[in-house]
Amino acid sequence: MTASAPQPAESAAFASALELIGAVEPRVAAAIRQELNDQRESLKLIASENYASPAVLAAMGNWLSDKYAEGTVGRRFYAGCQNVDIVESVAAEHARELFGADHAYVQPHSGIDANLVAFWAVLAQTVEAPALRDAQARHVNDLSDAAWETLRRELGDQRMLGMSLDAGGHLTHGFRPNISGKMFHQRSYGTNPTSGLIDYDEVRQIAAEFRPLILIAGYSAYPRRINFRLMREIADDVGATFMVDMAHFAGLVAGKVLTGDFDPVPHAHIVTTTTHKTLRGPRGGMVLCKEELSEHVNRGCPMVLGGPLPHVMAAKAVALAEARTPDFRRYAQAVVDNAAALAEGLLRRGVTLVTGGTDNHLVLVDVSAHGLTGRQAEAALLDAGIVTNRNAIPCDPNGAWYTSGIRLGTPALTTRGLGTAEMDAIAELIHTVLVNTQPAAGPDGNRSPAKYVLDAATCGKVAQEAANLVAGYPLYPAVDLG
Ligand code: PLP
Protein backbone atom coordinates (compact mmCIF):
# COMPACT_ATOMS: atom_id res chain seq x y z
CA MET A 1 0.00 0.00 0.00
CA THR A 2 2.77 2.42 -0.88
CA ALA A 3 1.94 5.96 -1.98
CA SER A 4 0.08 6.44 -5.25
CA ALA A 5 -2.24 9.08 -6.65
CA PRO A 6 -5.84 9.02 -5.34
CA GLN A 7 -7.95 6.66 -7.44
CA PRO A 8 -11.31 8.15 -8.34
CA ALA A 9 -13.01 4.73 -8.00
CA GLU A 10 -11.76 4.08 -4.46
CA SER A 11 -12.36 7.62 -3.26
CA ALA A 12 -15.84 7.62 -4.76
CA ALA A 13 -16.71 4.21 -3.25
CA PHE A 14 -15.80 5.21 0.31
CA ALA A 15 -17.17 8.76 -0.01
CA SER A 16 -20.53 7.41 -1.25
CA ALA A 17 -20.67 4.85 1.56
CA LEU A 18 -20.06 7.59 4.13
CA GLU A 19 -22.71 9.78 2.56
CA LEU A 20 -25.25 6.94 2.82
CA ILE A 21 -24.33 6.24 6.43
CA GLY A 22 -24.29 9.93 7.33
CA ALA A 23 -27.80 10.42 6.02
CA VAL A 24 -29.04 7.93 8.66
CA GLU A 25 -26.65 8.47 11.57
CA PRO A 26 -24.16 11.31 11.08
CA ARG A 27 -22.31 10.52 14.31
CA VAL A 28 -21.34 7.09 12.98
CA ALA A 29 -20.22 8.50 9.63
CA ALA A 30 -18.15 11.11 11.48
CA ALA A 31 -16.55 8.44 13.69
CA ILE A 32 -15.60 6.33 10.65
CA ARG A 33 -14.11 9.40 8.93
CA GLN A 34 -12.24 10.30 12.12
CA GLU A 35 -10.93 6.74 12.45
CA LEU A 36 -9.27 7.06 9.04
CA ASN A 37 -7.69 10.37 10.08
CA ASP A 38 -6.52 8.95 13.42
CA GLN A 39 -5.05 5.85 11.78
CA ARG A 40 -3.34 7.99 9.16
CA GLU A 41 -1.65 10.06 11.85
CA SER A 42 -0.71 7.21 14.16
CA LEU A 43 2.65 5.47 14.30
CA LYS A 44 1.20 2.06 14.99
CA LEU A 45 3.44 -0.66 16.38
CA ILE A 46 0.66 -2.93 17.68
CA ALA A 47 1.91 -6.38 16.64
CA SER A 48 -1.59 -7.81 16.16
CA GLU A 49 -2.97 -5.05 13.92
CA ASN A 50 -2.66 -4.21 10.25
CA TYR A 51 -4.42 -2.29 7.46
CA ALA A 52 -6.66 -4.33 5.16
CA SER A 53 -6.77 -3.30 1.50
CA PRO A 54 -9.66 -1.20 0.13
CA ALA A 55 -10.86 -4.31 -1.76
CA VAL A 56 -11.01 -6.30 1.50
CA LEU A 57 -12.89 -3.48 3.22
CA ALA A 58 -15.33 -3.10 0.33
CA ALA A 59 -16.05 -6.85 0.28
CA MET A 60 -17.47 -6.53 3.81
CA GLY A 61 -19.90 -3.69 3.20
CA ASN A 62 -22.69 -5.25 1.14
CA TRP A 63 -25.80 -7.40 1.01
CA LEU A 64 -24.00 -10.69 1.66
CA SER A 65 -24.39 -9.54 5.25
CA ASP A 66 -28.14 -10.15 4.96
CA LYS A 67 -27.92 -13.95 4.59
CA TYR A 68 -28.18 -16.65 7.21
CA ALA A 69 -26.03 -19.61 6.16
CA GLU A 70 -25.68 -22.08 9.05
CA GLY A 71 -24.12 -25.34 7.91
CA THR A 72 -21.47 -25.72 5.23
CA VAL A 73 -21.24 -25.39 1.46
CA GLY A 74 -24.07 -27.38 -0.14
CA ARG A 75 -25.46 -28.43 3.29
CA ARG A 76 -27.15 -25.35 4.74
CA PHE A 77 -29.94 -25.09 7.27
CA TYR A 78 -31.35 -22.22 5.17
CA ALA A 79 -32.50 -21.97 1.57
CA GLY A 80 -31.06 -19.52 -0.91
CA CYS A 81 -27.38 -19.81 -0.03
CA GLN A 82 -26.08 -20.32 -3.58
CA ASN A 83 -24.01 -17.12 -3.56
CA VAL A 84 -22.72 -17.67 -0.05
CA ASP A 85 -21.66 -21.14 -1.21
CA ILE A 86 -19.60 -19.55 -3.97
CA VAL A 87 -17.96 -17.08 -1.61
CA GLU A 88 -17.18 -19.69 1.04
CA SER A 89 -15.83 -22.16 -1.56
CA VAL A 90 -13.56 -19.53 -3.10
CA ALA A 91 -12.18 -18.49 0.30
CA ALA A 92 -11.57 -22.13 1.29
CA GLU A 93 -9.95 -22.92 -2.06
CA HIS A 94 -7.53 -19.98 -1.73
CA ALA A 95 -6.74 -21.01 1.86
CA ARG A 96 -6.05 -24.64 0.93
CA GLU A 97 -3.85 -23.72 -1.99
CA LEU A 98 -2.02 -20.89 -0.25
CA PHE A 99 -1.15 -22.95 2.82
CA GLY A 100 -1.02 -26.42 1.24
CA ALA A 101 -3.71 -27.66 3.62
CA ASP A 102 -5.97 -30.70 3.12
CA HIS A 103 -8.99 -28.78 4.37
CA ALA A 104 -9.90 -25.17 5.19
CA TYR A 105 -12.86 -23.93 7.24
CA VAL A 106 -13.32 -20.19 6.84
CA GLN A 107 -16.37 -19.53 9.01
CA PRO A 108 -14.92 -18.70 12.46
CA HIS A 109 -15.70 -15.13 13.46
CA SER A 110 -12.40 -14.67 15.25
CA GLY A 111 -9.24 -16.45 16.38
CA ILE A 112 -10.78 -17.54 19.67
CA ASP A 113 -13.76 -19.01 17.83
CA ALA A 114 -11.39 -20.88 15.51
CA ASN A 115 -9.66 -22.37 18.56
CA LEU A 116 -12.98 -23.47 20.03
CA VAL A 117 -13.91 -25.16 16.75
CA ALA A 118 -10.53 -26.93 16.75
CA PHE A 119 -10.86 -28.09 20.38
CA TRP A 120 -14.30 -29.46 19.68
CA ALA A 121 -13.14 -31.23 16.52
CA VAL A 122 -10.21 -32.88 18.30
CA LEU A 123 -12.42 -33.96 21.18
CA ALA A 124 -15.03 -35.26 18.80
CA GLN A 125 -12.53 -37.19 16.73
CA THR A 126 -10.50 -38.67 19.55
CA VAL A 127 -12.97 -39.13 22.39
CA GLU A 128 -15.31 -41.72 21.02
CA ALA A 129 -17.91 -41.13 23.71
CA PRO A 130 -21.44 -42.27 22.87
CA ALA A 131 -22.83 -38.98 24.12
CA LEU A 132 -20.43 -37.08 21.90
CA ARG A 133 -21.46 -39.06 18.85
CA ASP A 134 -25.02 -38.25 19.81
CA ALA A 135 -24.14 -34.57 20.08
CA GLN A 136 -22.76 -34.60 16.57
CA ALA A 137 -25.67 -36.45 15.11
CA ARG A 138 -28.21 -33.99 16.46
CA HIS A 139 -28.39 -30.33 17.26
CA VAL A 140 -26.61 -29.80 20.59
CA ASN A 141 -29.73 -28.34 22.14
CA ASP A 142 -31.55 -31.63 21.53
CA LEU A 143 -29.37 -33.58 23.96
CA SER A 144 -31.09 -35.09 26.97
CA ASP A 145 -29.89 -34.13 30.45
CA ALA A 146 -28.46 -37.62 30.90
CA ALA A 147 -26.55 -37.37 27.62
CA TRP A 148 -25.13 -34.00 28.66
CA GLU A 149 -23.98 -35.51 31.95
CA THR A 150 -22.13 -38.33 30.15
CA LEU A 151 -20.64 -35.84 27.75
CA ARG A 152 -19.41 -33.58 30.53
CA ARG A 153 -17.92 -36.50 32.44
CA GLU A 154 -16.08 -37.92 29.47
CA LEU A 155 -14.81 -34.62 28.14
CA GLY A 156 -13.81 -33.40 31.57
CA ASP A 157 -10.93 -35.86 31.77
CA GLN A 158 -9.03 -34.52 28.78
CA ARG A 159 -5.72 -32.66 28.97
CA MET A 160 -4.14 -29.77 27.13
CA LEU A 161 -0.51 -28.61 27.11
CA GLY A 162 0.26 -25.14 25.76
CA MET A 163 2.73 -22.29 26.16
CA SER A 164 2.26 -20.27 29.33
CA LEU A 165 0.75 -16.83 29.07
CA ASP A 166 3.78 -14.99 30.43
CA ALA A 167 6.10 -16.84 28.04
CA GLY A 168 4.01 -15.49 25.16
CA GLY A 169 1.20 -18.05 24.80
CA HIS A 170 -2.45 -17.09 24.36
CA LEU A 171 -5.15 -17.27 27.00
CA THR A 172 -7.07 -19.83 24.93
CA HIS A 173 -4.15 -22.27 25.14
CA GLY A 174 -5.30 -23.58 28.51
CA PHE A 175 -4.97 -20.48 30.71
CA ARG A 176 -7.05 -21.34 33.78
CA PRO A 177 -9.46 -18.37 33.83
CA ASN A 178 -10.25 -19.00 30.13
CA ILE A 179 -12.83 -21.54 28.92
CA SER A 180 -9.95 -23.65 27.51
CA GLY A 181 -8.55 -24.01 31.03
CA LYS A 182 -11.97 -25.09 32.24
CA MET A 183 -12.68 -27.55 29.41
CA PHE A 184 -9.31 -29.27 29.88
CA HIS A 185 -6.96 -30.22 32.66
CA GLN A 186 -4.16 -27.93 31.78
CA ARG A 187 -0.39 -27.61 32.05
CA SER A 188 1.97 -25.24 30.34
CA TYR A 189 5.55 -25.05 29.14
CA GLY A 190 7.55 -21.85 29.45
CA THR A 191 10.83 -20.64 28.05
CA ASN A 192 14.44 -21.08 29.16
CA PRO A 193 15.17 -18.47 31.89
CA THR A 194 18.53 -17.57 30.33
CA SER A 195 17.88 -17.62 26.59
CA GLY A 196 14.15 -16.85 26.67
CA LEU A 197 13.71 -19.56 24.01
CA ILE A 198 11.41 -22.59 24.04
CA ASP A 199 13.28 -25.51 25.55
CA TYR A 200 12.11 -28.46 23.44
CA ASP A 201 13.60 -30.99 25.88
CA GLU A 202 11.52 -29.48 28.64
CA VAL A 203 8.39 -29.64 26.47
CA ARG A 204 9.17 -33.28 25.75
CA GLN A 205 9.59 -34.04 29.44
CA ILE A 206 6.34 -32.31 30.49
CA ALA A 207 4.45 -33.98 27.64
CA ALA A 208 5.78 -37.42 28.63
CA GLU A 209 4.66 -36.86 32.21
CA PHE A 210 1.32 -35.18 31.49
CA ARG A 211 0.29 -37.04 28.33
CA PRO A 212 -2.02 -34.36 26.87
CA LEU A 213 -4.75 -34.98 24.35
CA ILE A 214 -3.74 -31.73 22.64
CA LEU A 215 -0.27 -30.20 22.45
CA ILE A 216 -0.53 -26.56 21.30
CA ALA A 217 2.18 -24.37 19.83
CA GLY A 218 1.69 -20.75 18.86
CA TYR A 219 1.92 -17.40 20.57
CA SER A 220 0.91 -13.79 20.97
CA ALA A 221 4.21 -12.47 22.22
CA TYR A 222 7.09 -14.85 21.47
CA PRO A 223 9.56 -13.08 19.18
CA ARG A 224 11.08 -16.22 17.65
CA ARG A 225 10.29 -19.00 15.19
CA ILE A 226 9.06 -22.34 16.51
CA ASN A 227 10.34 -25.66 15.19
CA PHE A 228 7.05 -27.38 14.41
CA ARG A 229 8.73 -30.57 13.18
CA LEU A 230 10.20 -31.07 16.63
CA MET A 231 6.92 -30.25 18.34
CA ARG A 232 5.10 -32.79 16.16
CA GLU A 233 7.65 -35.43 17.12
CA ILE A 234 6.94 -34.70 20.78
CA ALA A 235 3.19 -34.94 20.16
CA ASP A 236 3.62 -38.25 18.32
CA ASP A 237 5.73 -39.70 21.12
CA VAL A 238 2.90 -39.19 23.61
CA GLY A 239 0.00 -39.84 21.24
CA ALA A 240 -1.21 -36.20 21.35
CA THR A 241 -2.93 -34.24 18.62
CA PHE A 242 -0.63 -31.43 17.55
CA MET A 243 -2.39 -28.09 17.14
CA VAL A 244 -0.80 -24.80 16.07
CA ASP A 245 -2.39 -21.40 16.58
CA MET A 246 -0.68 -19.27 13.93
CA ALA A 247 -2.92 -16.24 14.55
CA HIS A 248 0.09 -13.93 14.75
CA PHE A 249 2.32 -15.29 12.03
CA ALA A 250 -0.08 -16.63 9.38
CA GLY A 251 1.04 -13.86 7.01
CA LEU A 252 4.64 -14.99 7.35
CA VAL A 253 3.60 -18.54 6.49
CA ALA A 254 1.48 -17.31 3.56
CA GLY A 255 4.36 -15.13 2.38
CA LYS A 256 6.78 -18.11 2.52
CA VAL A 257 9.04 -16.50 5.09
CA LEU A 258 8.36 -19.33 7.53
CA THR A 259 9.00 -22.55 5.63
CA GLY A 260 10.23 -26.11 6.28
CA ASP A 261 10.35 -26.88 10.01
CA PHE A 262 8.90 -23.42 10.73
CA ASP A 263 5.77 -23.81 8.57
CA PRO A 264 3.13 -25.38 10.84
CA VAL A 265 0.78 -26.67 8.15
CA PRO A 266 2.66 -29.81 7.05
CA HIS A 267 3.46 -30.75 10.66
CA ALA A 268 0.29 -30.04 12.65
CA HIS A 269 -2.91 -32.08 12.64
CA ILE A 270 -4.86 -28.86 12.95
CA VAL A 271 -3.94 -25.19 12.54
CA THR A 272 -6.00 -22.18 13.58
CA THR A 273 -5.48 -18.53 12.73
CA THR A 274 -6.91 -15.08 12.71
CA THR A 275 -7.18 -13.42 9.32
CA HIS A 276 -6.57 -9.82 10.39
CA LYS A 277 -3.04 -9.72 11.78
CA THR A 278 -0.02 -10.41 9.54
CA LEU A 279 -2.41 -12.00 7.02
CA ARG A 280 -3.92 -8.52 6.45
CA GLY A 281 -7.51 -9.60 5.90
CA PRO A 282 -10.81 -8.80 7.63
CA ARG A 283 -11.30 -9.44 11.35
CA GLY A 284 -11.96 -13.17 11.52
CA GLY A 285 -10.62 -16.67 12.01
CA MET A 286 -9.96 -19.84 10.07
CA VAL A 287 -9.14 -23.51 10.68
CA LEU A 288 -6.87 -25.64 8.47
CA CYS A 289 -6.66 -29.36 9.13
CA LYS A 290 -5.79 -32.81 7.92
CA GLU A 291 -8.56 -34.62 6.09
CA GLU A 292 -9.39 -36.90 9.05
CA LEU A 293 -10.50 -33.90 11.14
CA SER A 294 -12.42 -32.12 8.40
CA GLU A 295 -15.85 -33.56 9.14
CA HIS A 296 -15.73 -32.45 12.77
CA VAL A 297 -14.29 -29.06 11.87
CA ASN A 298 -17.13 -28.50 9.41
CA ARG A 299 -19.58 -28.91 12.29
CA GLY A 300 -18.21 -25.67 13.78
CA CYS A 301 -21.49 -23.92 13.00
CA PRO A 302 -23.92 -24.42 14.69
CA MET A 303 -22.05 -26.70 17.15
CA VAL A 304 -19.72 -23.99 18.44
CA LEU A 305 -20.25 -20.91 16.29
CA GLY A 306 -23.16 -18.63 15.57
CA GLY A 307 -24.28 -18.17 11.95
CA PRO A 308 -21.43 -17.50 9.51
CA LEU A 309 -20.79 -13.95 8.30
CA PRO A 310 -20.92 -14.26 4.50
CA HIS A 311 -19.68 -10.71 3.92
CA VAL A 312 -16.61 -11.42 6.06
CA MET A 313 -16.01 -14.71 4.24
CA ALA A 314 -16.06 -12.66 1.01
CA ALA A 315 -13.42 -10.37 2.48
CA LYS A 316 -11.37 -13.40 3.55
CA ALA A 317 -11.51 -14.69 -0.05
CA VAL A 318 -10.21 -11.33 -1.31
CA ALA A 319 -7.45 -11.15 1.32
CA LEU A 320 -6.38 -14.74 0.63
CA ALA A 321 -6.25 -14.00 -3.12
CA GLU A 322 -4.03 -11.01 -2.33
CA ALA A 323 -1.82 -13.18 -0.12
CA ARG A 324 -1.08 -15.45 -3.09
CA THR A 325 0.64 -12.67 -5.03
CA PRO A 326 4.40 -11.95 -5.30
CA ASP A 327 3.63 -8.53 -3.76
CA PHE A 328 2.45 -10.21 -0.58
CA ARG A 329 5.61 -12.34 -0.41
CA ARG A 330 7.67 -9.17 -0.65
CA TYR A 331 5.50 -7.65 2.08
CA ALA A 332 5.97 -10.63 4.44
CA GLN A 333 9.75 -10.53 3.97
CA ALA A 334 9.75 -6.77 4.61
CA VAL A 335 7.77 -7.26 7.86
CA VAL A 336 10.50 -9.56 9.17
CA ASP A 337 13.34 -7.36 7.86
CA ASN A 338 11.75 -4.36 9.55
CA ALA A 339 11.36 -6.19 12.87
CA ALA A 340 15.03 -7.22 12.69
CA ALA A 341 16.05 -3.61 11.98
CA LEU A 342 13.90 -2.30 14.84
CA ALA A 343 15.40 -4.88 17.23
CA GLU A 344 18.91 -4.09 16.05
CA GLY A 345 18.31 -0.34 16.49
CA LEU A 346 17.02 -0.83 20.03
CA LEU A 347 19.82 -3.20 21.04
CA ARG A 348 22.45 -0.79 19.69
CA ARG A 349 21.01 1.90 21.96
CA GLY A 350 21.15 -0.36 25.01
CA VAL A 351 17.49 -1.41 25.22
CA THR A 352 16.90 -4.93 26.61
CA LEU A 353 14.95 -7.35 24.42
CA VAL A 354 13.48 -10.66 25.53
CA THR A 355 15.49 -13.42 23.71
CA GLY A 356 17.95 -10.73 22.60
CA GLY A 357 16.20 -10.09 19.28
CA THR A 358 13.57 -11.37 16.89
CA ASP A 359 13.12 -13.56 13.86
CA ASN A 360 9.46 -12.87 13.24
CA HIS A 361 7.27 -9.76 13.13
CA LEU A 362 7.50 -8.76 16.79
CA VAL A 363 9.91 -7.47 19.37
CA LEU A 364 9.39 -7.77 23.13
CA VAL A 365 11.10 -5.01 25.11
CA ASP A 366 11.92 -5.47 28.79
CA VAL A 367 11.46 -1.96 30.21
CA SER A 368 12.38 -2.87 33.79
CA ALA A 369 15.99 -1.78 33.19
CA HIS A 370 14.58 1.76 32.74
CA GLY A 371 12.83 1.50 36.10
CA LEU A 372 9.43 1.42 34.39
CA THR A 373 6.45 -0.90 34.24
CA GLY A 374 5.00 -1.81 30.86
CA ARG A 375 2.00 0.32 31.71
CA GLN A 376 4.14 3.43 32.27
CA ALA A 377 6.18 2.81 29.13
CA GLU A 378 3.07 2.21 27.02
CA ALA A 379 1.43 5.43 28.27
CA ALA A 380 4.56 7.56 27.87
CA LEU A 381 5.08 6.27 24.32
CA LEU A 382 1.46 6.99 23.50
CA ASP A 383 1.87 10.57 24.77
CA ALA A 384 4.76 10.84 22.34
CA GLY A 385 2.67 9.58 19.41
CA ILE A 386 3.90 5.95 19.37
CA VAL A 387 1.19 3.32 19.75
CA THR A 388 2.33 0.05 21.38
CA ASN A 389 0.88 -2.33 23.95
CA ARG A 390 2.22 -3.42 27.29
CA ASN A 391 2.89 -7.11 27.61
CA ALA A 392 4.07 -9.53 30.27
CA ILE A 393 7.58 -10.88 29.92
CA PRO A 394 8.56 -14.39 31.12
CA CYS A 395 8.15 -14.70 34.93
CA ASP A 396 6.96 -11.09 35.03
CA PRO A 397 7.09 -9.70 38.60
CA ASN A 398 4.50 -7.05 37.67
CA GLY A 399 1.85 -9.51 36.49
CA ALA A 400 -0.36 -9.30 33.41
CA TRP A 401 -1.90 -5.88 34.17
CA TYR A 402 1.07 -3.59 34.82
CA THR A 403 3.68 -5.89 33.20
CA SER A 404 7.40 -5.24 32.62
CA GLY A 405 7.33 -5.27 28.84
CA ILE A 406 6.06 -3.60 25.72
CA ARG A 407 5.36 -5.51 22.54
CA LEU A 408 6.25 -3.92 19.21
CA GLY A 409 5.23 -5.23 15.80
CA THR A 410 5.99 -4.17 12.25
CA PRO A 411 3.04 -5.53 10.14
CA ALA A 412 1.08 -2.26 10.03
CA LEU A 413 3.94 0.16 9.36
CA THR A 414 5.31 -2.20 6.71
CA THR A 415 1.94 -2.07 4.94
CA ARG A 416 2.33 1.71 4.85
CA GLY A 417 5.71 1.25 3.16
CA LEU A 418 8.13 2.16 5.97
CA GLY A 419 11.46 0.35 5.66
CA THR A 420 14.55 -0.50 7.68
CA ALA A 421 15.92 3.08 7.78
CA GLU A 422 12.65 4.27 9.32
CA MET A 423 12.78 1.40 11.83
CA ASP A 424 16.12 2.69 13.04
CA ALA A 425 14.63 6.18 13.40
CA ILE A 426 11.73 4.67 15.40
CA ALA A 427 14.20 2.81 17.64
CA GLU A 428 15.79 6.18 18.40
CA LEU A 429 12.39 7.71 19.30
CA ILE A 430 11.46 4.76 21.56
CA HIS A 431 14.84 4.87 23.28
CA THR A 432 14.47 8.63 23.84
CA VAL A 433 11.09 8.14 25.51
CA LEU A 434 12.27 5.24 27.68
CA VAL A 435 15.34 7.05 29.03
CA ASN A 436 13.42 10.28 29.65
CA THR A 437 10.45 8.74 31.47
CA GLN A 438 10.58 8.44 35.25
CA PRO A 439 8.21 6.57 37.53
CA ALA A 440 6.19 8.91 39.76
CA ALA A 441 4.42 8.68 43.10
CA GLY A 442 0.73 7.90 43.35
CA PRO A 443 -1.77 9.90 45.48
CA ASP A 444 -0.59 8.09 48.65
CA GLY A 445 3.00 9.24 48.09
CA ASN A 446 4.21 5.74 47.22
CA ARG A 447 5.74 4.82 43.89
CA SER A 448 2.89 3.93 41.53
CA PRO A 449 3.07 1.25 38.80
CA ALA A 450 0.95 3.51 36.57
CA LYS A 451 2.20 7.08 37.16
CA TYR A 452 5.14 8.53 35.30
CA VAL A 453 6.69 11.81 34.25
CA LEU A 454 7.92 12.60 30.76
CA ASP A 455 8.96 16.21 30.22
CA ALA A 456 6.83 18.13 27.76
CA ALA A 457 9.71 19.23 25.55
CA THR A 458 10.97 15.68 24.91
CA CYS A 459 7.45 14.39 24.48
CA GLY A 460 6.58 17.12 21.97
CA LYS A 461 9.79 16.65 20.00
CA VAL A 462 9.32 12.86 19.70
CA ALA A 463 5.65 13.29 18.78
CA GLN A 464 6.59 15.73 16.01
CA GLU A 465 9.22 13.36 14.63
CA ALA A 466 6.81 10.40 14.79
CA ALA A 467 4.19 12.43 12.91
CA ASN A 468 6.75 13.45 10.28
CA LEU A 469 7.75 9.81 9.78
CA VAL A 470 4.24 8.53 9.10
CA ALA A 471 3.31 11.57 7.03
CA GLY A 472 5.88 10.40 4.48
CA TYR A 473 3.96 7.13 4.02
CA PRO A 474 0.29 7.97 3.50
CA LEU A 475 -2.22 5.35 4.59
CA TYR A 476 -4.88 4.40 2.01
CA PRO A 477 -3.27 6.88 -0.40
CA ALA A 478 -5.86 6.05 -3.03
CA VAL A 479 -8.69 7.21 -0.78
CA ASP A 480 -9.29 10.95 -0.72
CA LEU A 481 -12.45 11.90 1.17
CA GLY A 482 -11.92 15.62 0.59
N1 PLP B 1 -4.73 -16.71 19.17
C1 PLP B 1 -3.66 -15.93 19.30
C2 PLP B 1 -2.30 -16.55 19.32
C3 PLP B 1 -3.83 -14.54 19.43
O1 PLP B 1 -2.76 -13.76 19.60
C4 PLP B 1 -5.14 -14.01 19.42
C5 PLP B 1 -5.42 -12.57 19.56
O2 PLP B 1 -4.70 -11.74 19.87
C6 PLP B 1 -6.21 -14.89 19.29
C7 PLP B 1 -5.98 -16.23 19.16
C8 PLP B 1 -7.62 -14.40 19.35
O3 PLP B 1 -8.01 -13.75 18.21
P1 PLP B 1 -9.40 -12.96 18.17
O4 PLP B 1 -9.18 -11.70 18.91
O5 PLP B 1 -9.65 -12.77 16.72
O6 PLP B 1 -10.43 -13.84 18.80
Side-chain angles (χ1 to χ4, degrees):
M1 210 180 287
T2 42
S4 62
Q7 301 286 314
E10 287 176 28
S11 293
F14 288 100
S16 307
L18 282 172
E19 204 178 308
L20 282 172
I21 297 165
V24 181
E25 182 39 283
R27 290 172 298 179
V28 170
I32 296 172
R33 217 174 241 278
Q34 189 56 41
E35 183 62 27
L36 177 60
N37 290 341
D38 291 352
Q39 300 239 10
R40 279 178 164 162
E41 287 169 11
S42 137
L43 196 154
K44 180 159 91 169
L45 285 165
I46 305 271
S48 49
E49 293 186 7
N50 211 328
Y51 303 110
S53 73
V56 167
L57 298 179
M60 277 185 281
N62 56 67
W63 31 93
L64 281 169
S65 159
D66 298 337
K67 271 307 292 170
Y68 240 116
E70 284 178 340
T72 45
V73 175
R75 290 188 62 202
R76 306 284 184 188
F77 290 83
Y78 288 80
C81 292
Q82 60 282 1
N83 298 310
V84 180
D85 279 0
I86 292 171
V87 162
E88 183 169 351
S89 304
V90 172
E93 176 191 300
H94 280 310
R96 279 194 312 274
E97 291 179 7
L98 175 63
F99 292 106
D102 288 358
H103 182 71
Y105 182 65
V106 297
Q107 291 189 13
H109 310 320
S110 75
I112 289 182
D113 290 12
N115 285 348
L116 288 172
V117 170
F119 298 156
W120 180 261
V122 175
L123 287 167
Q125 199 226 9
T126 51
V127 184
E128 285 295 323
L132 198 49
R133 279 198 297 276
D134 193 23
Q136 288 156 28
R138 311 198 270 153
H139 196 283
V140 209
N141 294 337
D142 294 342
L143 279 189
S144 67
D145 288 351
W148 265 119
E149 246 339 286
T150 317
L151 189 57
R152 263 196 288 272
R153 220 177 23 251
E154 297 188 26
L155 295 182
D157 278 342
Q158 302 305 323
R159 300 169 184 193
M160 168 184 287
L161 173 60
M163 194 181 208
S164 69
L165 200 61
D166 72 344
H170 190 254
L171 72 166
T172 53
H173 299 180
F175 185 52
R176 282 212 185 85
N178 181 260
I179 183 74
S180 57
K182 305 204 186 302
M183 286 169 75
F184 295 91
H185 296 292
Q186 167 282 342
R187 275 189 66 182
S188 52
Y189 56 89
T191 47
N192 180 288
T194 313
S195 65
L197 302 174
I198 293 175
D199 177 343
Y200 295 96
D201 289 335
E202 194 207 9
V203 180
R204 191 182 296 279
Q205 193 191 326
I206 301 173
E209 236 170 73
F210 187 55
R211 305 200 80 79
L213 174 72
I214 304 179
L215 171 64
I216 305 193
Y219 53 78
S220 300
Y222 180 67
R224 296 291 178 175
R225 299 182 296 185
I226 295 178
N227 187 321
F228 298 114
R229 182 186 52 76
L230 271 182
M231 293 294 275
R232 170 64 187 264
E233 268 174 32
I234 296 170
D236 284 349
D237 283 350
V238 299
T241 296
F242 180 39
M243 170 173 162
V244 175
D245 178 347
M246 64 170 183
H248 258 265
F249 52 90
L252 308 185
V253 179
K256 311 300 173 208
V257 174
L258 295 176
T259 56
D261 292 353
F262 307 105
D263 174 353
V265 181
H267 302 292
H269 296 98
I270 190 158
V271 176
T272 56
T273 186
T274 55
T275 47
H276 49 271
K277 303 186 205 272
T278 47
L279 198 51
R280 212 163 60 177
R283 304 202 70 79
M286 193 163 70
V287 180
L288 307 173
C289 65
K290 301 290 183 211
E291 194 53 52
E292 66 262 26
L293 279 161
S294 60
E295 191 193 325
H296 300 295
V297 165
N298 278 351
R299 291 180 195 272
C301 167
M303 187 66 86
V304 178
L305 303 173
L309 310 175
H311 54 309
V312 180
M313 291 196 287
K316 287 174 188 172
V318 174
L320 289 162
E322 289 175 348
R324 297 184 68 181
T325 60
D327 253 4
F328 191 86
R329 284 193 184 199
R330 281 190 286 276
Y331 163 72
Q333 186 59 54
V335 166
V336 172
D337 293 346
N338 277 345
L342 181 62
E344 168 58 26
L346 290 165
L347 287 170
R348 212 168 350 100
R349 291 169 175 88
V351 176
T352 306
L353 304 185
V354 174
T355 79
T358 177
D359 42 34
N360 57 20
H361 63 296
L362 70 88
V363 174
L364 192 57
V365 180
D366 177 352
V367 295
S368 61
H370 301 279
L372 301 172
T373 62
R375 168 109 183 240
Q376 290 162 330
E378 175 196 87
L381 285 164
L382 186 64
D383 290 346
I386 301 173
V387 187
T388 66
N389 68 281
R390 65 185 183 280
N391 209 103
I393 61 172
C395 306
D396 201 315
N398 290 324
W401 180 247
Y402 291 112
T403 83
S404 304
I406 49 166
R407 188 183 64 166
L408 313 173
T410 53
L413 290 182
T414 306
T415 293
R416 289 184 80 142
L418 280 77
T420 52
E422 289 75 30
M423 293 302 135
D424 194 58
I426 291 169
E428 172 65 21
L429 298 182
I430 292 173
H431 177 251
T432 303
V433 172
L434 292 180
V435 296
N436 284 286
T437 303
Q438 275 85 42
D444 58 0
N446 290 326
R447 197 167 154 164
S448 151
K451 303 270 180 216
Y452 61 94
V453 181
L454 170 62
D455 69 276
T458 306
C459 186
K461 186 164 175 291
V462 171
Q464 187 55 57
E465 287 177 27
N468 292 346
L469 260 177
V470 292
Y473 297 88
L475 178 63
Y476 297 112
V479 178
D480 179 4
L481 298 178

